[in-house]
Amino acid sequence: MISLISTLLYLAKDTLHRWLSRLSSPLARVLVVFFLSLCALFFLGTYVISVNMVRDRIMAEGGDTVHAIVSPEHGGSFHMPGQSELSRWLQADSWNLLIVGSARTSDRSSVTIYTTDFGRYGQLLPLMAQGGSPTLVCPAEGSDSFPEGLMDISTGGRHGGTHTVSVRHLPNNHPLAGSLKRGGLLLSPEDAVNLMGEERLQQATRQILLKVHHLNTADDIHRVEHYLRNLIRLEGAHGNVTSAARLLEQMDIVLSNQMQCRAGFCLGIVLIVGILLTSLAGMEYRQNEYIYTLMKSFGIHPMLLVWSFLCENLLLVALSFAAAFAVFMHSQDIILTQFFKLSEYRLSAAEIMPEIKLISAALLLCVLVSSLPIIVAANREIGRVLK
């Protein structure tokens, strides 16, 4: 044990002596790895930001939502599972609105009248006025003609006439904001029956929305689409199902191509850093080969020599990459705002963690490859070196 500790201390002292006597050797490794890692982080960080921008835009346009308009067969009805069942089966939030008719506001604007089973689809219940009285719901943005408060509205049907209803705004980025862009009058099921009648209400057209909880690929949307189409077919109804599945498929293709670019970029780092570390490690081993061979003749295992060079390169590479990462995290605000004009985006360590792992794996591969010539040299016969 004492001899092993002494050997390790000697190898550490020898490494430090080589660094001080030939400062250009460790400095070259540190600078090359630092600047290549910094460039890789900015390149791959820009890729992550572009993906986030596109994904945020798709989500803002309802890319994670499947829309369906369903009309039951004449004389029949359409049975839709409840919110809890759909959430459990499809991992999606659901809205099932029956289109009851249309109404006119005081400025002659036309709005659609909806109702739903609030016992099974209760997301809109908090927006209803007190007591479940008729409520005009509309997005907060672009709704200057529908300020929150009270409004007179005219309805048709058996109990048509002018009614005073409450106006409520949808929360920001609500999935129904696109469907209710011009406003929608929500009625309780009882009021809808009084307006249309039980039989006509059962045959009313339905507007169904399913918002996927976690959208990763287009397959998540396709799964919901297939469920709705099969349900419509089994119920014998007529329906039209739409989504942004094609756009998501194109995005998946772009992401796949960018993955290849990322892999190619990291392969370039492996080649440059690998060649540098391999050449410097081989050169420094040959310069001290006589001393290392004497150590082998005294019973030192060759793998200790290999491990010393491996740990040396690993230490330098790890410190260089850590410095590059620290510089990237502190300077990304300047780069993103001044060069890319993206003041609202900033990458966290968690968001860029896959890229950090990718670069780290590439650098680790470089360190392992650089040890190959040392392994070959360390296992040369002692007599050939000391002759």
Side-chain angles (χ1 to χ4, degrees), residues 286-349:
R286 285 192 299 271
Q287 290 177 346
N288 297 275
E289 187 176 20
Y290 188 83
I291 297 176
Y292 296 145
T293 305
L294 285 176
M295 295 175 65
K296 287 195 301 180
S297 66
F298 295 149
I300 303 300
H301 198 282
M303 286 307 299
L304 280 178
L305 303 177
V306 176
W307 274 107
S308 68
F309 279 90
L310 190 64
C311 293
E312 174 187 354
N313 283 332
L314 188 60
L315 177 63
L316 293 175
V317 168
L319 292 176
S320 303
F321 181 65
F325 175 71
V327 171
F328 169 76
M329 295 301 294
H330 285 86
S331 63
Q332 64 168 310
D333 288 338
I334 300 175
I335 300 298
L336 295 178
T337 55
Q338 298 299 323
F339 292 93
F340 296 102
K341 309 301 180 183
L342 300 173
S343 57
E344 67 275 16
Y345 284 92
R346 191 179 192 280
L347 290 174
S348 63

Side-chain angles (χ1 to χ4, degrees), residues 2-33:
I2 296 178
S3 61
L4 177 61
I5 295 175
S6 300
T7 303
L8 294 177
L9 291 175
Y10 175 80
L11 292 175
K13 180 181 178 181
D14 176 71
T15 301
L16 184 60
H17 174 73
R18 285 190 288 103
W19 287 1
L20 295 176
S21 59
R22 290 186 296 273
L23 192 60
S24 59
S25 175
L27 189 61
R29 282 176 278 183
V30 168
L31 292 178
V32 169
V33 175

Side-chain angles (χ1 to χ4, degrees), residues 123-200:
Q123 300 98 322
L124 290 179
L125 187 58
L127 291 175
M128 294 289 288
Q130 187 175 7
S133 60
T135 307
L136 181 63
V137 179
C138 61
E141 297 180 357
S143 56
D144 297 338
S145 58
F146 301 127
E148 286 192 323
L150 299 178
M151 174 181 289
D152 290 334
I153 195 165
S154 301
T155 61
R158 297 186 303 178
H159 298 275
T162 302
H163 307 273
T164 300
V165 301
S166 299
V167 179
R168 298 288 181 86
H169 286 168
L170 289 168
N172 293 331
N173 301 322
H174 195 280
L176 290 178
S179 302
L180 303 180
K181 187 176 298 184
R182 296 184 177 180
L185 181 61
L186 287 180
L187 302 181
S188 65
E190 293 78 11
D191 290 336
V193 170
N194 293 333
L195 184 67
M196 292 188 64
E198 183 71 31
E199 183 178 351
R200 288 186 58 193

Side-chain angles (χ1 to χ4, degrees), residues 65-69 80 86 92-97 121 123 174-179 207-211 224 228:
T65 305
V66 179
H67 302 257
I69 300 294
M80 185 76 180
L86 292 173
D93 293 326
S94 56
W95 288 264
N96 181 18
L97 302 176
Y121 303 93
Q123 300 98 322
H174 195 280
L176 290 178
S179 302
Q207 184 170 333
I208 300 171
L209 285 85
L210 289 172
K211 179 181 173 65
V224 177
L228 280 178

Side-chain angles (χ1 to χ4, degrees), residues 250-268:
Q250 295 176 356
M251 182 178 175
D252 291 342
I253 294 174
V254 172
L255 292 178
S256 177
N257 293 336
Q258 288 193 352
M259 285 291 292
Q260 297 175 5
C261 294
R262 295 166 65 200
F265 191 81
C266 290
L267 180 61

